[in-house]
Amino acid sequence: MKMNLQILTQSLSTHFPLPPFPPKSKFLQAKFKPSFKLCSSLSTVSVPPTKTSHKPFPAEVSRTIMELSSIGTLSTLAQDGWPLGVGVRFAVDAEGTPVLCLPQPSPDNRSTLHVQLDQCGLRTPQCTIQGSLTKPADATILRRFDSVWKKRFGEAADVDNLYTVDVQRVLQMEDLNEDGVWVTSSDYKNENPDPLRNSAEEIVNEINNNNREDVHRFCNVYVDLDFQVSEAKMIWVDRLGFDLRIYSPQKGVFDVRIPFPREVTDEKGAKSSFNGMSQLAWEVEKNFHAPDFEKVKQLKKIVYSGGR
């Protein structure tokens, strides 16, 4: 016996009502398959990343800092033997080698180039390159470095004043007043900068300005917390995930790392992942979807000092 399709549809909708759709996000809309596990390597102290930590290795972070920056502090030994640091502009080639334009270099070629990156006013990762100031003698190499300089600053360099820092090792620090991790020259040169580096700040600002409810919901759904969060902001995003800074009147301030369901390679992929995670978090919060993932359990305590 055949049942009228309209009657059958009405019957099903009466007995099995569908959950309402979440409010339309101002972020990019995309389809998402909610099947992933969440984990984190962050704890109450800084821990060097591992293959399972869902954080970029220090070499990649250093390369990213150097790619996004163009001003640093070059320190050398002056003629009187005292260390002297001066602000310099620099560019980097495909291997991350710093290229500088110096009218009067130090007679001692031992040097350090300190560079830091402000991440939305919440964190300042840094890298300090130790190496020797070298003046290229080959005309072909000079032309290549001149091209690197012109690409970064839109102007030709004075080739007579071009120098490079021959990278020997790199000290990478997650933030001010934190311990660093040493990176070898080979690891630094062989690593690639983060593919989201040129759009990361824009993505973070957009989410913090337009999707505050989603950021707060990420804390409640994806992080295993035993305290109430009064405020949450996104610090930075990279190909493997994103960092949040959370504030609690009872417990203080923490950073937490939330990984993406899968690695992303561009801005479109990052926005798609955010949108999908937001959809899933909303469904879990409204009890339309069971939380079948492992929550982030480890937090990094932030202790402010020196006016920060």
Side-chain angles (χ1 to χ4, degrees):
M1 182 175 62
K2 296 183 179 179
M3 181 181 291
N4 183 277
L5 181 60
Q6 183 177 5
I7 297 176
L8 176 61
T9 303
Q10 292 175 349
S11 177
L12 288 174
S13 62
T14 301
H15 292 85
F16 305 99
L18 294 174
F21 289 105
K24 188 174 181 181
S25 173
K26 295 181 181 179
F27 218 58
L28 178 69
Q29 300 297 307
K31 294 181 179 179
F32 181 74
K33 198 172 182 179
S35 57
F36 59 91
K37 282 190 174 183
L38 290 168
C39 58
S40 174
S41 66
L42 287 182
S43 62
T44 54
V45 295
S46 296
V47 178
T50 64
K51 290 184 178 180
T52 59
S53 69
H54 300 278
K55 291 180 62 179
F57 280 93
E60 179 179 340
V61 177
S62 295
R63 288 294 307 273
T64 301
I65 293 173
M66 296 299 291
E67 286 282 344
L68 290 176
S69 306
S70 59
I71 296 177
T73 301
L74 179 70
S75 297
T76 58
L77 291 177
Q79 292 182 350
D80 58 7
W82 284 86
L84 178 65
V86 295
V88 294
R89 293 195 301 169
F90 69 89
V92 290
D93 68 0
E95 292 186 340
T97 301
V99 180
L100 305 92
C101 199
L102 304 173
Q104 293 180 341
S106 169
D108 191 324
N109 65 354
R110 290 176 297 174
S111 65
T112 60
L113 178 62
H114 177 79
V115 181
Q116 58 187 40
L117 176 68
D118 176 76
Q119 292 183 337
C120 300
L122 297 174
R123 188 171 63 189
T124 310
Q126 308 158 69
C127 69
T128 302
I129 294 178
Q130 283 188 343
S132 301
L133 278 175
T134 304
K135 183 172 180 58
D138 185 88
T140 302
I141 296 178
L142 276 173
R143 285 195 296 269
R144 178 166 64 86
F145 286 141
D146 180 53
S147 176
V148 169
W149 185 273
K150 189 173 183 179
K151 182 179 180 181
R152 173 64 67 95
F153 297 110
E155 61 186 30
D158 185 347
V159 293
D160 293 332
N161 295 332
L162 274 182
Y163 289 81
T164 63
V165 178
D166 183 17
V167 180
Q168 297 180 7
R169 62 175 184 169
V170 181
L171 180 64
Q172 198 274 315
M173 292 174 283
E174 287 188 359
D175 203 354
L176 300 171
N177 301 319
E178 293 193 7
D179 294 333
V181 177
W182 284 105
V183 177
T184 65
S185 174
S186 59
D187 285 346
Y188 173 81
K189 292 180 179 180
N190 292 329
E191 191 57 85
N192 292 315
D194 181 66
L196 295 184
R197 62 189 182 278
N198 292 323
S199 56
E201 184 173 7
E202 180 181 351
I203 292 174
V204 171
N205 288 333
E206 183 176 350
I207 291 178
N208 282 335
N209 292 332
N210 301 328
N211 299 76
R212 294 182 181 180
E213 291 185 3
D214 289 326
V215 176
H216 204 278
R217 189 176 291 118
F218 287 163
C219 298
N220 295 331
V221 173
Y222 294 128
V223 186
D224 189 5
L225 298 174
D226 61 355
F227 55 84
Q228 184 177 2
V229 174
S230 61
E231 186 179 0
K233 290 183 179 181
M234 186 169 291
I235 303 173
W236 201 250
V237 58
D238 55 61
R239 63 185 177 88
L240 299 179
F242 52 93
D243 300 316
L244 301 181
R245 177 151 296 175
I246 58 179
Y247 304 83
S248 167
Q250 300 82 16
K251 298 290 187 176
V253 183
F254 297 87
D255 283 357
V256 61
R257 174 75 174 183
I258 299 180
F260 284 136
R262 61 192 65 84
E263 179 180 344
V264 301
T265 58
D266 54 25
E267 180 181 358
K268 182 179 180 181
K271 289 185 175 182
S272 176
S273 290
F274 278 125
N275 186 73
M277 294 177 73
S278 175
Q279 168 76 23
L280 177 59
W282 184 87
E283 292 179 2
V284 171
E285 187 178 68
K286 301 298 181 182
N287 296 318
F288 297 138
H289 192 284
D292 57 350
F293 48 78
E294 180 183 352
K295 289 190 175 185
V296 174
K297 298 181 182 296
Q298 295 174 314
L299 306 175
K300 175 183 173 183
K301 178 73 173 180
I302 302 300
V303 179
Y304 291 99
S305 62
R308 285 196 67 194

